[in-house]
Amino acid sequence: MATKTLRVDYLTRVEGEGALELDIAEGAVVGGRLSIFEPPRFFEALLRGRDCTEVPDITARICGICPVAYQMSAAYAVESALGIMVEGPLRALRRLLYCGEWIESHVLHMVLLHAPDFLGFPDAISMAASHGETVRRGLALKKAGNEVLRLLGRREVHPINVRVGGFYRVPSRAELAPLAATLEAAREQAVALARWVATFPFPDFKRDYEFVALRHADEYPLNEGRIGSSRGLDINVADYESAFEERHVPHSTALQSVLRGRGSYFVRPLARFNLNHDRLGPGLEAFAAGLGLEPGCRNPYRSILAHAIEVVYACEEGLRV
Amino acid sequence: MEARPRPVVAVWKFASCDDCQFSLLDCEDELLALAGAIDIAYFAEASSTLRSGPYDLSLVEWSVTTTEDERRIRRARADSKQLVTIGACATAGGIQSLRNFADVKEYIEAVYASPEYIRTLAASTPIAAHVPVDFELRDCPINKHQLLEVISALLAGCKPAIADESVCVACKKRGTPCVMVAHGTPCLGPVTHTGCGAICSSYGRGCYGCYGPAEAANTAALARTWQALGADRRSIHRAFRSFNAAAESFRKESEAHGDENPSR
Ligand code: SF4
Ligand code: SF4
């Protein structure tokens, strides 16, 4: 049986450097390799010996699109090592900051990186020629997320205000007040954006994934919760290493994480939605269903819908805070 | 009037966090106008159309950490009329340049189960160590206003109007009380290049030097001030050894306060 190998040397419109090889025999994919050739930067090694208060500023530099995710994980890790719990208004403001990042980075992903694939454009700029209004709406929404980051983080990228134990400076009530109108308008735009992505042609494709995400007792998870899965995993974050294994394969500088004894698993918004749809609130859950996103969705193409729903959620949660 | 062809621009990256190039996409209000004014021929993270050179302007985001990078940067330079480094990674080696002060083999072993799969150079070096650079933006991350200024100035054939002052000057201009004087908080502002608008002091924290060293920075005098505020040798060492650790003046000052690598 002849096997052909299809190779994409440089995956575009994704963050990070990767190539993809697919082995094809008799019209079916029989093997594949995702090679991340992004050169290693050795964060795990260079963090040793740093003061714990420096860690969030350093880990932010892992990724400029979602620095808050790395700052939050670092701050929570250091706080749990020190036995500190950040609660009350500070915890709420951290949620707000994270909502800002979700809006900004989900919309970047959806409109500028992912939507062109569905509509057959090489990039969002050429897409803007015929979908100008939608691209502009996306940019406006992204800007609203950035406004939240700018106030709470003091800048959109690599915010300087995240600190082990809370913030360096908490904005005043008067400074926070205008965000309500921003988020109110953003929510409208997010709903329109979700309706737009729901019209995309989704291939009919399903696979039997195990979904893994945080699960929190009473809220849609941003920073806290237990690690759960669609096949019954339910562990403390601290027990991550007992359930997961990070493997190093020859063709990739990124470690591959697998569930011990079970293999690969599915993360990110679709997984989070599948495990936590009941924490979105009845209105939003029904809105998702109306757009064709039902709990238990196993079509990876529909993950863009889960992104869209999370953007609406982030606007609503931001307003609640 | 005859329409001039739009200048052709390329954006390159390797070892970096992607933000500096995404600053272009962060220009929400300016993005579509910018896209109309320039012809972005190569920007893999934003478009699947990748056209080969020559380019009028190349924006380079990464630091050189592999032999493949060395080859790629020489090609980018040969294909570009002007080449600008954007961010601390490309201009000073970035946070990944902490390896320069350590044994890279030990770093690889600390992170990877199979060190033999990893090919990397012993040092993370700035682009200017390999090819001539026309302009450098050394911030981590760069800010979009500076980026837009550099793109428009260079394409118009002018020198970008980016002041070479320290962060302190921005504090003074705005009238923010100095955090060192007012609260005794150690601050790298006196030796750090301006451009961020002194945002850290406005939120009550000291500058940690993400915009890199200002020209003629008196790092030794600042280190003495920090000592007077009670900072120990190791904290001073670490302060100069972060995102711009490999920039000449910061490297020297960190070495004056111990040559031990904090990560060993
Ligand atoms: S707060 Fe820092 S940057 Fe501002 S004046 Fe004082 S030393 Fe300079
Ligand atoms: S660390 Fe310094 S240079 Fe960086 S944002 Fe803060 S004040 Fe500006």
Side-chain angles (χ1 to χ4, degrees):
Chain A
M1 188 176 63
T3 307
K4 270 200 302 196
T5 298
L6 200 78
R7 185 176 160 85
V8 183
D9 288 325
Y10 199 166
L11 296 170
T12 56
R13 256 186 296 114
V14 287
E15 185 225 334
E17 257 60 30
L20 182 67
E21 279 183 3
L22 294 176
D23 305 326
I24 299 171
E26 292 175 1
V29 175
V30 292
R33 282 161 305 281
L34 176 65
S35 313
I36 303 299
F37 55 84
E38 172 123 11
R41 295 167 72 210
F42 304 112
F43 277 93
E44 299 92 324
L46 62 82
L47 280 169
R48 294 170 300 168
R50 302 300 300 206
D51 194 275
C52 66
T53 57
E54 298 174 307
V55 178
D57 290 324
I58 296 179
T59 55
R61 269 71 183 183
I62 293 173
C63 169
I65 305 170
C66 52
V68 172
Y70 293 101
Q71 292 193 323
M72 284 296 144
S73 325
Y76 273 89
V78 171
E79 285 156 11
S80 94
L82 297 175
I84 302 173
M85 283 279 276
V86 173
E87 288 173 302
L90 285 180
R91 179 177 186 279
L93 286 174
R94 279 186 166 178
R95 273 183 85 76
L96 177 59
L97 175 72
Y98 216 146
C99 286
E101 176 161 292
W102 269 19
I103 299 171
E104 184 276 325
S105 90
H106 279 23
V107 172
L108 173 95
H109 167 87
M110 290 161 58
V111 179
L112 297 178
L113 308 183
H114 200 179
D117 283 337
F118 285 102
L119 302 177
F121 292 97
D123 49 59
I125 289 169
S126 22
M127 188 170 77
S130 49
H131 294 77
E133 199 178 320
T134 330
V135 172
R136 264 186 292 276
R137 182 194 302 131
L139 292 173
L141 190 51
K142 188 167 160 312
K143 195 174 164 195
N146 274 338
E147 256 169 60
V148 175
L149 289 168
R150 205 157 35 239
L151 178 63
L152 275 168
R154 191 60 179 88
R155 70 176 163 198
E156 303 88 320
V157 183
H158 304 333
I160 55 95
N161 198 23
V162 170
R163 178 187 209 170
V164 171
F167 292 96
Y168 285 92
R169 174 176 170 273
V170 172
S172 67
R173 216 164 254 283
E175 287 172 304
L176 284 164
L179 282 188
T182 307
L183 287 170
E184 202 68 72
R187 189 186 170 281
E188 296 298 304
Q189 287 161 336
V191 166
L193 185 65
R195 292 212 167 98
W196 179 62
V197 299
T199 65
F200 289 177
F202 294 107
D204 184 19
F205 177 85
K206 276 189 192 130
R207 282 200 60 185
D208 199 15
Y209 300 108
E210 176 162 9
F211 293 99
V212 172
L214 281 180
R215 167 106 180 140
H216 187 270
D218 42 40
E219 55 193 19
Y220 199 78
L222 285 161
N223 285 322
E224 293 169 34
R226 291 168 65 78
I227 302 175
S229 91
S230 52
R231 298 206 187 125
L233 180 79
D234 179 17
I235 58 166
N236 249 318
V237 174
D239 297 327
Y240 171 82
E241 289 195 323
S242 66
F244 295 85
E245 183 192 347
E246 291 185 347
R247 292 187 188 149
H248 187 195
V249 294
H251 54 268
S252 187
T253 55
L255 300 176
Q256 296 188 347
S257 176
V258 291
L259 268 165
R260 288 186 197 275
R262 309 228 276 257
S264 50
Y265 57 95
F266 194 119
V267 289
R268 309 199 60 242
L270 185 58
R272 204 156 38 219
F273 170 82
N274 279 335
L275 296 179
N276 297 283
H277 53 90
D278 54 340
R279 304 282 188 263
L280 287 169
L284 196 48
E285 208 184 343
F287 177 65
L291 296 182
L293 183 65
E294 303 270 5
C297 170
R298 289 184 287 121
N299 181 339
Y301 294 96
R302 290 187 183 264
S303 72
I304 193 169
L305 277 171
H307 278 87
I309 294 298
E310 288 195 342
V311 174
V312 180
Y313 174 79
C315 297
E316 292 182 349
E317 177 68 4
L319 282 167
R320 276 190 286 273
V321 171
Chain B
M1 204 173 71
E2 214 178 296
R4 282 201 311 160
R6 292 181 302 162
V8 181
V9 175
V11 185
W12 306 83
K13 98 137 223 164
F14 252 13
S16 53
C17 80
D18 289 13
D19 172 66
C20 289
Q21 48 172 325
F22 273 110
S23 298
L24 268 179
L25 302 185
D26 255 342
C27 301
E28 291 100 2
D29 292 333
E30 304 89 350
L31 182 66
L32 296 178
L34 183 70
I38 61 178
D39 174 7
I40 303 177
Y42 186 100
F43 186 178
E45 311 236 337
S47 174
S48 40
T49 306
L50 301 176
R51 301 206 316 271
S52 46
Y55 311 110
D56 293 305
L57 172 64
S58 269
L59 303 172
V60 180
E61 179 187 73
W62 83 95
S63 74
V64 174
T65 66
T66 66
T67 44
E68 171 61 18
D69 297 352
E70 293 178 311
R71 199 186 57 71
R72 234 177 127 213
I73 187 59
R74 279 195 294 270
R75 208 186 80 213
R77 177 70 259 190
D79 277 349
S80 315
K81 277 194 207 139
Q82 305 208 59
L83 186 143
V84 172
T85 57
I86 54 173
C89 292
T91 305
I95 188 73
Q96 58 272 24
S97 70
L98 292 185
R99 79 173 69 179
N100 305 7
F101 307 94
D103 170 9
V104 78
K105 265 184 63 198
E106 194 272 336
Y107 263 34
I108 298 175
E109 283 161 13
V111 178
Y112 290 104
S114 310
E116 66 278 13
Y117 300 155
I118 299 294
R119 309 246 170 288
T120 191
L121 298 169
S124 165
T125 44
I127 298 303
H130 302 266
V131 296
V133 171
D134 298 298
F135 197 82
E136 298 185 319
L137 272 180
R138 47 175 76 241
D139 342 344
C140 178
I142 53 166
N143 79 40
K144 61 182 189 186
H145 305 292
Q146 288 194 346
L147 180 62
L148 291 174
E149 165 63 22
V150 167
I151 295 176
S152 32
L154 290 180
L155 292 177
C158 327
K159 189 174 174 299
I162 291 184
D164 185 27
E165 294 166 346
S166 71
V167 175
C168 293
V169 176
C171 278
K172 301 287 175 284
K173 281 187 185 155
R174 190 181 47 211
T176 306
C178 174
V179 298
M180 286 212 282
V181 175
H183 328 281
T185 303
C187 180
L188 283 182
V191 298
T192 299
H193 197 280
T194 188
C196 65
I199 60 178
C200 287
S201 61
S202 77
Y203 270 39
R205 75 177 285 191
C207 166
Y208 60 88
C210 74
Y211 270 56
E215 212 70 38
N218 191 345
T219 52
L222 180 66
R224 284 193 296 277
T225 313
W226 276 44
Q227 270 159 359
L229 292 174
D232 63 13
R233 212 165 146 255
R234 285 180 62 93
S235 347
I236 299 176
H237 172 76
R238 278 199 315 271
F240 285 103
R241 195 160 279 187
S242 69
F243 311 100
N244 288 282
E248 185 65 7
S249 58
F250 280 15
R251 179 183 60 76
K252 282 204 181 127
E253 197 57 41
S254 72
E255 281 165 359
H257 302 273
D259 51 11
E260 77 273 30
N261 179 21
S263 13
R264 289 298 296 282

